[in-house]
Amino acid sequence: MADKEAKNKITPQFRRVLVKMSGEALMGGEDYGIDSEMLKRIASEVRDVRELGVDIAIVIGGGNIFRGAGLARAGMDRVTADHMGMLATVMNSLALQDALENLGLHTRVMSAIRINQVCEDFIRRRAVRHLEKGRAVIFAAGTGNPYFTTDTAASLRAIEIGAELLLKATKVNGVYSQDPVENPRARRYTHLTFDKVLTDRLNVMDATSIVMCRDNNLPLRVFNLGNAGDLIRIVKGEDVGTLVDNVARP
């Protein structure tokens, strides 16, 4: 009870956010599929954000189950492979929906491809209405089109629903000048502009999604999903990970 009262006293810095997480994030310590403990932890953090009064939407990749681009490189038809990847994101979305609803948070999965027996079709005005009613909304199946990544879907959906911040959950605590696993001396940026991300070809999100954020003035924050509590700290306004926006700073 005391924890809930403390949360109610916190003033969040954002009214509505969208979180993009990879399918691999759901694997936890597993080699494939979904780790139930990791799923519960992510669901708990999403619920905590919603309890602050923040509208929250989510886009999940499908790489823990199936990665379309990988099989396309191996010879499968790219359109077929991408459609299979979209179905993998629907599976992950349903798993997260179940975990959230077990915690008492009303949740809707909205798919970019028609699959009415398991989830709703994506309709922008309906998605916004769900958020206004306090429900978490999970956007599945990417954009519904092959050749577009779930990163691009996240940028698109965030813009469509009027999110104030796009959160990219990764395995590292921000954006680095080089891969920090390969080069321990790589520099971590606290702030970047979208133009610098594009010019330096930094591995943040694909170029299409970065351009969409830049042109629609949608701030992006990259953080480590493995650090428990970082998501709610960001919503509270703390400087976590790397902020990417259109503001040039010294």
Side-chain angles (χ1 to χ4, degrees), residues 16 122-125 128 139 153-163 212 218:
R16 180 172 295 164
F122 169 71
I123 299 172
R124 186 186 70 85
R125 292 174 67 91
V128 170
F139 297 119
S155 299
L156 174 63
R157 296 292 183 245
I159 294 163
E160 287 181 304
I161 66 172
M212 290 181 67
L218 174 65

Side-chain angles (χ1 to χ4, degrees), residues 33-234:
I34 298 172
D35 180 281
S36 61
E37 292 305 313
M38 186 63 176
L39 183 66
K40 290 176 184 176
R41 205 211 84 197
I42 291 172
S44 177
E45 294 201 22
V46 171
R47 178 201 58 191
D48 289 346
V49 169
R50 180 53 237 166
E51 286 183 348
L52 287 178
V54 178
D55 296 343
I56 185 164
I58 303 151
V59 170
I60 312 178
N64 58 319
I65 299 173
F66 187 88
R67 186 174 291 279
L71 275 189
R73 286 193 294 270
M76 178 178 281
D77 175 73
R78 175 63 187 269
V79 175
T80 299
D82 280 358
H83 282 145
M84 293 173 70
M86 292 175 204
L87 295 176
T89 71
V90 174
M91 295 172 68
N92 283 337
S93 298
L94 292 173
L96 182 57
Q97 179 187 42
D98 181 76
L100 289 169
E101 293 191 334
N102 281 335
L103 294 175
L105 179 59
H106 296 296
T107 308
R108 296 291 186 272
V109 174
M110 306 190 81
S111 172
I113 57 176
R114 298 192 67 181
I115 185 167
N116 306 115
Q117 289 181 305
V118 295
C119 58
E120 299 180 22
D121 294 339
F122 169 71
I123 299 172
R124 186 186 70 85
R125 292 174 67 91
R126 183 177 292 172
V128 170
R129 186 60 176 152
H130 285 321
L131 292 167
E132 291 173 345
K133 285 180 173 287
R135 299 163 183 154
V137 178
I138 306 171
F139 297 119
T143 66
N145 300 290
Y147 299 99
F148 289 91
T149 68
T150 49
D151 280 351
T152 298
S155 299
L156 174 63
R157 296 292 183 245
I159 294 163
E160 287 181 304
I161 66 172
E164 297 172 341
L165 180 68
L166 173 59
L167 294 161
K168 172 67 184 284
T170 68
K171 296 180 180 179
V172 293
N173 61 333
V175 182
Y176 285 78
S177 55
Q178 295 176 287
D179 187 337
V181 176
E182 297 179 0
N183 182 6
R185 296 184 178 180
R187 173 193 172 195
R188 184 178 73 84
Y189 298 100
T190 57
H191 173 262
L192 288 165
T193 63
F194 290 116
D195 285 338
K196 182 171 178 60
V197 169
L198 293 168
T199 300
D200 293 0
R201 298 185 178 183
L202 298 174
N203 188 21
V204 180
M205 300 173 83
D206 68 75
T208 303
S209 59
I210 292 296
V211 169
M212 290 181 67
C213 289
R214 182 194 66 187
D215 292 352
N216 290 277
N217 203 28
L218 174 65
L220 164 69
R221 188 171 284 277
V222 182
F223 73 105
N224 187 348
L225 188 63
N227 294 337
D230 271 6
L231 179 58
I232 199 164
R233 282 192 281 270
I234 292 170

